[in-house]
Amino acid sequence: MFYEWKGCSLKPLRQKLLILLCAVLLWQWSGGKAMAAAPTELSRPRIGLALGGGSALGFSHIGVLQWLEEHHIPVDAVAGTSMGGLMGGLYALGMSPAEIEVFVKALDWNHIFDSSPPYNALDFRRKEDRLEYPIQEIGFRHKLIIPNGLSLYRVSLLLSRITLPYSGIASFDELPTPYRSVATDIRNSEPYVLKDGSLAEAMRATMAIPGVFTPVEREGRLLVDGGLVNNVPADVVKTMGADAVIAVDCNDNNRGRDIRGIDSVLMGSLNTVIIENTRRSLEAADVVIHPEFQNVSFMDWNKIDEFVSAGYQAAASQASALQKYALSESEWQIYQQQRAGRQRTLAAVPEAVMVKGTNELNRKAIQSQLRPFLGKPLQLDALDKVLIEISGCGLYESIRYELAFEETGTVLLITAVEKNYGPPFISFALRGTYDGSNYTALNAGFRTTAYHILGDHSELRLDFGVGSTPYLSGELYKPFANSSWFLAPNLSLEQTDGSLFSAGQWVRGYELTSGHAGVDLGYTLNKFAEVRLGYSLGFQRPETGVASDLDDLDGSVRKTELRYTFSQADEEARRSFLGTLTGSWYDKAPGAQGGFGTAETRIRWSYPVGSRDLIVGTLAAGLSFQGDLPLIQQFKLGGPLQLGSYPFQALQGDNYGLGTIGYLKYLRKLPLTRKNLYLGAFFQRGGVFEKWSAPDLSSDVSFGLVSPTVFGTLYIGTSFGKEDKGRFNFILGNLF
């Protein structure tokens, strides 16, 4: 058969060759560019959108998108950097501007960037770490290693959820709107455009602010925020085949800013780098939208309405330049239908779990915990909760999930990113106390934890402190296979201070050196509670520097102890309940006529009032059995928030009781740390006495400033008691 074409006859093979040649010439003429994901050929200009970074300022992109949609201006491709990468990614997934606004307003921006799981999700031993050593951990692998940044476990789970329907796509061109995110490869010192692979990982990488959040490892590259090299990726949109590029630059500039102090100089320098690369990138843009911000900053995450309004107004100010890209009503409806037609919904029933990025032991543990999700529709709320619980073991920087579609069925694919700086891990504490009289203590504490020292899930914990009251202790935690039972051999050596009083007057202080070696049999009830039964052999040696009646208190100590511990708190410890119940039997102790026993309970709690205030309280009591207690084993009160109008250990005896009720009134956020500052008022009633049938109680009122810090809670105040004498108090660490 022959075909007629402009008067020439061609055989089919020659016709195919000619068509191929024309296609190659057309590709060369277009520079090899292609606008993917368009189901039909467009007769209009292809419009690309470049969205810049700027932290919370990036919410202004929502307002720009709103204006574009209201005026029927299509977006055929979108690329973004940092916050622009997140906003652009949400739009590329098929969300409307209104849906994006609802989505970001529903997020808890006070906690979205938390670097560790909430307190209740932590394993019981990690709860102990958080309470006793609150300062950010570092690692030790042949040398001390500081983390690359804060982990973003919530962000990883959030991105996993919203991108899940698009698991396994070959390219981001398959999204309802073709998408690119821009990162900086600091290993090769170059920009890196993410166009395929894990969509959640791509959106996470472009947001990894260097020195703040952990980088993303991908195919040998180490990726951080793309704002360092290409903050408004107009050139990237151009390479996606856009005929016209609309760029949104929401970064604030340095002009008119009062740059004083090292923090302002550093921020101004970083801003200069971003502004300069933005100027180069914007050369590829046809229209530039620059929102103006009044009385808001890049850290105002909860002022979304103001940012959206700024973006909308900025787009409106460019109406004359943008209107030429507007579609007619019928064209707009076709565009919307085509975009909606490429959206995907999730109806996943995973048949297997696959875990990447961790060792064999942890892989099996994760698979075991996720087995209940197999063979039924995936419940994302429940999945997120379990993955946060898994993060509570303290081994992972982040965990994300997606789906893989195999011949055998749908697979729930988990990527667990282990912390690359440990184990072992080292955490820190700084503690201080001043009673306004004779007692001052300041200590730095360190805890090192190594894992799998003696079998699966075993831990070696070493604690040591330097300062006023030095100490050294260690514990080997060895759980029995596949059970909650454990053995814990332990030892300690410490030096503490004590005070001697006579008729309410301080006589002298003494230094107590003590130590023990023992073993505990324990059972972990759940993430919140543990019970232990232990036996220990030890010694004690009090010293005053002069001959004294304390010499008969020098000797060996043998003790059996049963302890129950409960620990529960919400994310900010605004609602918490922590308690211990301890029973001890001393077979031997210096100064005792025979065996004796003690029992003690200590409970502390907090409860929120309104959105910022707190009520806090404590209840503590101790009692003795079988005769008088030796001085060292007596219960003691006195010092800050332990009846603070009395000096340290001014009250000593065989039994005691103490109750506290306090109110913390929110004052303001502290600069830099953004921690709450409170005015605290506390009422205490308690005392130390010989018999519970005749308790000798007194009252105490304290006032002061309270604020959580990276070192622990800080309290500076004064206490008043029955003698109406104010006494200055200072605490750094735990208040009670």
Side-chain angles (χ1 to χ4, degrees):
M1 178 180 289
F2 293 84
Y3 295 88
E4 294 293 324
W5 183 67
K6 290 191 177 181
C8 299
S9 296
L10 298 173
K11 293 181 179 180
L13 179 60
R14 294 176 60 191
Q15 183 200 30
K16 292 178 181 178
L17 290 173
L18 182 58
I19 293 173
L20 179 61
L21 177 61
C22 291
V24 171
L25 291 173
L26 179 61
W27 184 83
Q28 291 285 354
W29 173 80
S30 67
K33 304 169 186 175
M35 177 65 67
T40 59
E41 184 64 28
L42 298 176
S43 59
R44 57 174 175 78
R46 293 175 170 86
I47 310 301
L49 184 63
L51 302 179
S55 297
L57 305 179
F59 289 137
S60 60
H61 297 314
I62 301 172
V64 172
L65 288 166
Q66 286 179 353
W67 193 93
L68 294 179
E69 288 215 342
E70 287 179 11
H71 293 81
H72 295 179
I73 297 172
V75 175
D76 302 300
V78 60
T81 296
S82 195
M83 197 62 172
L86 175 60
M87 296 295 102
L90 295 176
Y91 188 74
L93 291 169
M95 296 176 68
S96 69
E99 289 171 333
I100 297 174
E101 184 174 4
V102 170
F103 173 79
V104 298
K105 284 183 176 179
L107 298 178
D108 184 356
W109 290 98
N110 292 322
H111 294 290
I112 196 72
F113 298 125
D114 284 354
S115 60
S116 60
Y119 187 83
N120 277 350
L122 298 176
D123 291 353
F124 184 82
R125 292 176 67 80
R126 304 292 77 80
K127 286 184 171 71
E128 291 180 321
D129 294 343
R130 180 80 67 86
L131 283 174
E132 298 169 21
Y133 295 86
I135 304 176
Q136 179 72 30
E137 67 186 12
I138 63 174
F140 186 84
R141 286 185 175 177
H142 310 297
K143 63 178 181 179
L144 292 177
I145 304 174
I146 299 175
N148 290 333
L150 302 177
S151 62
L152 293 177
Y153 80 96
R154 287 189 188 275
V155 172
S156 295
L157 293 177
L158 177 67
L159 296 178
S160 296
R161 173 184 285 244
I162 63 178
T163 62
L164 191 62
Y166 298 92
S167 298
I169 59 175
S171 165
F172 298 164
D173 289 336
E174 296 180 30
L175 296 173
T177 299
Y179 169 72
R180 302 286 186 270
S181 75
V182 179
T184 302
D185 178 7
I186 57 175
R187 191 164 280 155
N188 297 299
S189 302
E190 62 185 12
Y192 185 67
V193 179
L194 296 105
K195 59 183 179 180
D196 53 27
S198 168
L199 182 56
E201 183 182 67
M203 296 169 71
R204 167 67 175 84
T206 191
M207 298 171 61
I209 301 173
V212 180
F213 304 129
T214 52
V216 172
E217 289 268 4
R218 179 181 171 116
E219 299 174 351
R221 299 176 180 270
L222 192 62
L223 305 179
V224 299
D225 193 310
L228 294 176
V229 290
N230 195 350
N231 194 52
V232 186
D235 54 335
V236 174
V237 176
K238 203 74 172 179
T239 64
M240 296 173 72
D243 299 309
V245 176
I246 302 170
V248 185
D249 175 19
C250 60
N251 192 61
D252 207 1
N253 58 50
N254 291 330
R255 191 175 296 111
R257 179 178 295 167
D258 184 15
I259 301 179
R260 299 182 187 179
I262 189 170
D263 56 337
S264 295
V265 170
L266 290 174
M267 286 300 299
S269 300
L270 178 60
N271 225 23
T272 298
V273 173
I274 294 173
I275 291 168
E276 177 57 26
N277 77 57
T278 298
R279 288 170 180 159
R280 294 195 303 269
S281 299
L282 291 180
E283 293 176 1
D286 297 277
V287 181
V288 177
I289 299 173
H290 192 109
E292 298 291 335
F293 305 103
Q294 302 293 330
N295 302 319
V296 289
S297 76
F298 69 97
M299 292 295 290
D300 288 328
W301 297 101
N302 293 309
K303 295 184 178 180
I304 297 172
D305 287 335
E306 289 91 325
F307 292 121
V308 172
S309 176
Y312 188 94
Q313 293 172 15
S317 70
Q318 294 288 336
S320 59
L322 293 171
Q323 287 286 10
K324 61 184 177 183
Y325 304 121
L327 302 181
S328 66
E329 181 62 34
S330 59
E331 291 173 324
W332 179 252
Q333 292 303 320
I334 294 173
Y335 162 77
Q336 291 282 65
Q337 291 169 6
Q338 290 174 343
R339 186 166 180 263
R342 295 193 293 274
Q343 285 186 256
R344 298 186 182 186
T345 57
L346 178 68
V349 180
E351 302 296 334
V353 177
M354 181 184 298
V355 180
K356 299 193 305 181
T358 187
N359 61 41
E360 183 69 11
L361 176 65
N362 293 331
R363 181 184 67 80
K364 289 181 178 180
I366 294 174
Q367 285 179 322
S368 175
Q369 289 176 270
L370 296 180
R371 197 165 290 127
F373 290 92
L374 302 182
K376 55 188 177 183
L378 197 56
Q379 300 295 319
L380 297 185
D381 287 341
L383 177 61
D384 284 352
K385 183 178 179 180
V386 171
L387 291 178
I388 291 175
E389 296 284 325
I390 291 173
S391 299
C393 70
L395 294 175
Y396 304 114
E397 175 188 301
S398 66
I399 299 179
R400 69 172 189 272
Y401 57 90
E402 54 194 316
L403 298 174
F405 303 98
E406 309 288 346
E407 292 183 0
T408 56
T410 302
V411 176
L412 178 59
L413 178 60
I414 305 295
T415 301
V417 181
E418 292 185 338
K419 294 177 179 178
N420 65 358
Y421 54 91
F425 298 113
I426 304 174
S427 51
F428 306 88
L430 188 63
R431 309 181 185 101
T433 305
Y434 176 60
D435 70 347
S437 180
N438 300 298
Y439 181 74
T440 303
L442 183 62
N443 265 64
F446 307 85
R447 169 168 289 174
T448 302
T449 306
Y451 293 84
H452 312 309
I453 293 296
L454 194 65
D456 296 349
H457 306 297
S458 63
E459 294 181 17
L460 177 62
R461 174 189 283 176
L462 298 175
D463 293 358
F464 66 97
V466 294
S468 306
T469 56
Y471 61 89
L472 175 65
S473 65
E475 177 183 86
L476 177 61
Y477 171 83
K478 172 59 178 173
F480 297 117
N482 301 317
S483 80
S484 297
W485 290 95
F486 63 88
L487 276 177
N490 52 81
L491 54 84
S492 71
L493 179 66
E494 63 179 340
Q495 194 174 78
T496 57
D497 294 327
S499 295
L500 297 177
F501 286 81
S502 177
Q505 298 298 313
W506 185 82
V507 177
R508 63 180 176 272
Y510 64 89
E511 192 174 81
L512 176 66
T513 301
S514 61
H516 85 271
V519 61
D520 293 345
L521 172 65
Y523 186 83
T524 304
L525 299 168
N526 46 43
K527 282 179 174 280
F528 309 106
E530 176 188 89
V531 61
R532 290 183 176 222
L533 176 64
Y535 184 77
S536 65
L537 300 173
F539 74 94
Q540 62 186 40
R541 182 176 299 115
E543 296 178 292
T544 62
V546 297
S548 73
D549 55 0
L550 298 184
D551 293 340
D552 62 345
L553 299 178
D554 186 342
S556 60
V557 179
R558 296 199 301 264
K559 180 176 67 170
T560 301
E561 184 171 276
L562 177 65
R563 174 183 290 260
Y564 170 79
T565 307
F566 183 86
S567 182
Q568 187 176 31
D570 62 11
E571 292 174 278
E572 294 181 323
R574 286 173 54 78
R575 182 181 283 106
S576 65
F577 186 89
L578 311 174
T580 59
L581 177 61
T582 307
S584 302
W585 179 260
Y586 291 82
D587 297 321
K588 181 180 181 182
Q593 300 301 315
F596 63 92
T598 64
E600 183 178 18
T601 183
R602 300 182 66 87
I603 297 170
R604 50 192 172 116
W605 54 270
S606 64
Y607 193 83
V609 178
S611 61
R612 292 175 170 176
D613 296 353
L614 291 171
I615 293 178
V616 298
T618 66
L619 180 63
L623 58 90
S624 60
F625 309 97
Q626 302 294 324
D628 295 337
L629 298 182
L631 173 67
I632 304 303
Q633 281 71 42
Q634 285 181 354
F635 298 109
K636 302 172 179 68
L637 287 178
L641 296 183
Q642 297 289 314
L643 294 179
S645 62
Y646 290 92
F648 175 69
Q649 294 188 357
L651 306 176
Q652 306 180 21
D654 294 343
N655 303 280
Y656 87 99
L658 178 65
T660 305
I661 186 73
Y663 192 92
L664 300 183
K665 177 63 180 177
Y666 173 83
L667 297 179
R668 57 168 295 175
K669 290 279 187 184
L670 291 174
L672 298 181
T673 64
R674 306 296 293 170
K675 298 291 187 179
N676 291 345
L677 177 65
Y678 299 95
L679 175 62
F682 306 90
F683 174 77
Q684 293 191 301
R685 185 160 178 80
V688 178
F689 37 85
E690 294 304 312
K691 296 181 180 180
W692 272 96
S693 59
D696 181 15
L697 304 179
S698 60
S699 299
D700 191 282
V701 177
S702 301
F703 302 94
L705 297 175
V706 180
S707 179
T709 73
V710 295
F711 306 110
T713 303
L714 175 66
Y715 167 73
I716 301 174
T718 187
S719 295
F720 300 88
K722 62 181 180 180
E723 298 179 0
D724 295 325
K725 290 183 179 180
R727 188 179 296 275
F728 177 76
N729 289 168
F730 169 86
I731 299 175
L732 178 60
N734 292 322
L735 289 188
F736 306 106

